[in-house]
Amino acid sequence: MRSRLGARNGHIRLLLGDEQPLVRRGLRALFESDPTFRVQGEAANGTTLLELASAHRPDLVLMDADLPGPHVLDVVRRLVGDQVDGSAGVVLLASEGGLDDGSVLGAARAGVRGFLLKRESSEIVSGVRDVAQGGAAMSPGIVDQVLKALRRTHRQAALRPSGELALLTPREMQIFQLVAQGLTNQQIADVLVLSEATVKSHFNRICRKLALRNRVDAVILAYEMGVAGSATETASSL
C-alpha cells in the first residue's frame, strides 16, 4: 500500500470497528490524542463498518477480529478491494487469546496489513502509524501463532522455487529469515547489531521486492521456500 500520510490536510483518516462501546471509546481517545489521526467514525458491526468505509473512504480501518456481522475475511476483502482511490489499510485487533490458525493465515492472504493485541495499547497507535506509512505491524504473540500454524500446515508442503529471493541483498536475506522466526524488529536489531529503524527500513524494502504485505506474508513465503531456518542458524551465518 502506498503511504497515505497527508492525504487530507496531513491527517490519517481512520475508522474504528468494535462491538464494545467502551473499547471504541478507549481507541478513539488514543487516536484523538495524536494530531496525526482523524477518527471518521465508529461501528459496532461489520455491516455498519462497510457502510462507513463506503461513505468516508478512510486511509485505515482498525477493527476487532471478532466483529459481529459478516465474516471478518469478507469484511477485509471488501475494505481492501472496494476503495476507489486505493485500498484501505486494515489492521485487526485480537483479544488475549489471539486468532485461530485459519483466521490469521486467511486474514493475511486477504490483505490485512497489521495484527495487534488489544492488551498492548501502547503499541496500537505506533503500529497503525507504521501501516499508514506503507509498512506492517504485528504483535509478537500473533507471529508465534503463525509459526505454529505453518509448522503444522507446511510440514508436507512442496517447496516453491526460490529464484525471487535473489532480489534480496545478503543483509536483507538475513533479516527475512529472522522475521520468519518471529523475531521483532528490536530483537533483529540486537542480533545484527543494527538500529531498529535500520531493520524496519530493510524489511520495508524486502516487502517491496517480494510483493509482501506484512510479516505474516514473509513468514509464509519463507516456509514455502524452505528458508525458515532457526534464529540460531541464521545468526551463526553472520
Side-chain angles (χ1 to χ4, degrees), residues 47-128:
T47 299
T48 302
L49 187 63
L50 289 171
E51 291 172 351
L52 288 173
S54 178
H56 293 289
R57 302 295 178 188
D59 300 311
L60 287 165
V61 176
L62 180 65
M63 60 180 287
D64 180 21
D66 295 316
L67 194 67
H71 193 280
V72 62
L73 296 187
D74 293 331
V75 175
V76 169
R77 292 186 189 102
R78 288 277 304 278
L79 291 170
V80 169
D82 284 0
Q83 299 296 323
V84 172
D85 58 348
S87 298
V90 178
V91 178
L92 289 186
L93 280 177
S95 55
E96 187 72 23
L99 302 168
D100 63 72
D101 293 349
S103 292
V104 71
L105 295 180
R109 289 167 174 143
V112 170
R113 297 189 62 88
F115 298 82
L116 301 171
L117 294 176
K118 288 184 179 181
R119 70 170 183 267
E120 298 172 352
S121 59
S122 62
E123 303 297 325
I124 291 175
V125 173
S126 61
V128 170

